[in-house]
Amino acid sequence: MSKPILLITGGGRGIGAATAKRAAEQGYHVVINYKTDATSANKVVADIVASGDLADCVQADISDVEQVAQMFSFIRKKWGKIQALVNNAGVLEHQMRFTDTTPARWQRIFQTNVFGTMQCCQEAFQDMAISRGGQGGAIVNVSSLASVYGSPNEYVDYAASKGAVDSFSKGFALEVAGDGIRVNVVRPGLIYTDMHADGGEAERVDRIGPTLPLQRGGKPEEVAEAILWLLSDKSSYSTGGFIDVGGGR
Ligand code: NAP
């Protein structure tokens, strides 16, 4: 029997790469999407294949409507319909007060974090919906605890985009539940990845981690565990739900 196909957006590093490795071990055919860093994505694929599991990668900028459509069409032709999707790709920009940010910056952040996620969900629906000849499926959208606390003085626009992901995921989950598709959200807190360097403070997790109830930052693998559980049949009665992986933040 062929393995279920799992597409992970932004799977070349960080939380996406940790999820890809764990998912491959658990029997998925993992398709890793990346935007710019082909070397890292290919390395994740090579590591998985070297372990005897199945993975491929596909380049597409999920903030680009045409590229998302082409990516899904390519995957369908090459490997078939996807049964699982992790909308993990996300971006932030340099830390600053919201009053100093620009509409162009808000557009860039929302185009990837919100509209990219929404379009991938729409495409996945075509593959998964029982009413479209699919077999159902599971989607996990990676949001952030920033959606809850608002990220003042650092990333208010990013936090707002994750708030939109939360609301979208709830509504979409309730719409497609009757089509055999479960949609859930994982909201990481402070996790050791390169995203913080992109925001201008590579040591951010070390700075804030000790102030959290669990007194440390999290590992990408700890987020991957929650994602994998929500993708699996072990969470068969969960949809429209949220798991916070933030050390008590
Ligand atoms: P990361 O290390 O910065 O990795 C992000 C990945 O997303 C990169 O591999 C990047 O691909 C990809 N990506 C960015 N824009 C893309 C686009 N337009 N199309 C396709 N791929 C794109 O991030 P991370 O920390 O693992 O975060 C993963 C998710 O968790 C994000 O949604 C983030 O908002 C969320 N999150 C992270 C934290 C944290 O503390 N790290 C906390 C809360 C939430 P390329 O390298 O190829 O460009």
Side-chain angles (χ1 to χ4, degrees):
M1 208 173 89
S2 59
K3 295 184 173 201
I5 299 170
L6 162 64
L7 171 63
I8 304 175
T9 64
R13 72 181 203 191
I15 293 167
T19 304
K21 288 178 183 169
R22 200 57 60 96
E25 287 165 9
Q26 294 187 10
Y28 290 94
H29 172 184
V30 179
V31 178
I32 293 167
N33 152 262
Y34 67 95
K35 183 174 88 169
T36 45
D37 188 355
T39 307
S40 296
N42 279 305
K43 171 86 170 60
V44 177
V45 168
D47 288 349
I48 290 172
V49 171
S51 305
D53 297 314
L54 190 52
D56 289 283
C57 60
V58 52
Q59 190 280 330
D61 178 348
I62 62 138
S63 72
D64 183 304
V65 172
E66 283 304 316
Q67 291 189 35
V68 171
Q70 281 164 12
M71 172 175 71
F72 273 87
S73 144
F74 175 82
I75 293 169
R76 279 181 202 118
K77 280 196 199 117
K78 187 139 194 203
W79 300 295
K81 294 180 175 186
I82 65 166
Q83 282 99 351
L85 168 68
V86 179
N87 280 304
N88 166 77
V91 291
L92 42 65
E93 298 202 8
H94 265 231
Q95 293 159 316
M96 63 178 74
R97 287 172 61 82
F98 174 71
T99 45
D100 295 327
T101 61
T102 61
R105 168 175 153 141
W106 314 337
Q107 291 277 356
R108 286 193 296 273
I109 292 172
F110 272 65
Q111 196 64 43
T112 296
N113 297 3
V114 183
F115 303 133
T117 293
M118 289 166 69
Q119 195 187 351
C120 288
C121 282
Q122 217 175 39
E123 289 282 351
F125 175 80
Q126 303 298 332
D127 279 8
M128 297 174 180
I130 290 167
S131 63
R132 309 286 169 110
Q135 297 176 331
I139 298 174
V140 175
N141 292 334
V142 181
S143 174
S144 169
L145 277 168
S147 74
V148 179
Y149 70 82
S151 240
N153 304 311
E154 291 190 303
Y155 307 115
V156 168
D157 43 13
Y158 166 83
S161 77
K162 294 301 190 174
V165 169
D166 289 0
S167 301
F168 162 73
S169 301
K170 173 64 86 174
F172 181 60
L174 303 186
E175 271 193 17
V176 301
D179 248 317
I181 303 170
R182 294 185 303 106
V183 183
N184 289 287
V185 176
V186 169
R187 292 191 294 213
L190 275 169
I191 310 299
Y192 282 99
T193 73
D194 292 334
M195 175 173 255
H196 304 283
D198 290 351
E201 188 187 357
E203 311 303 323
R204 182 168 176 262
V205 181
D206 283 334
R207 173 172 64 85
I208 304 174
T211 70
L212 303 180
L214 286 184
Q215 299 174 9
R216 65 173 178 86
K219 293 181 281 193
E221 291 75 16
E222 293 176 296
V223 182
E225 286 299 333
I227 294 172
L228 264 297
W229 182 75
L230 286 171
L231 289 179
S232 78
D233 286 342
K234 290 177 186 167
S235 64
S236 52
Y237 199 52
S238 297
T239 198
F242 296 79
I243 296 184
D244 293 346
V245 186
R249 187 171 219 200

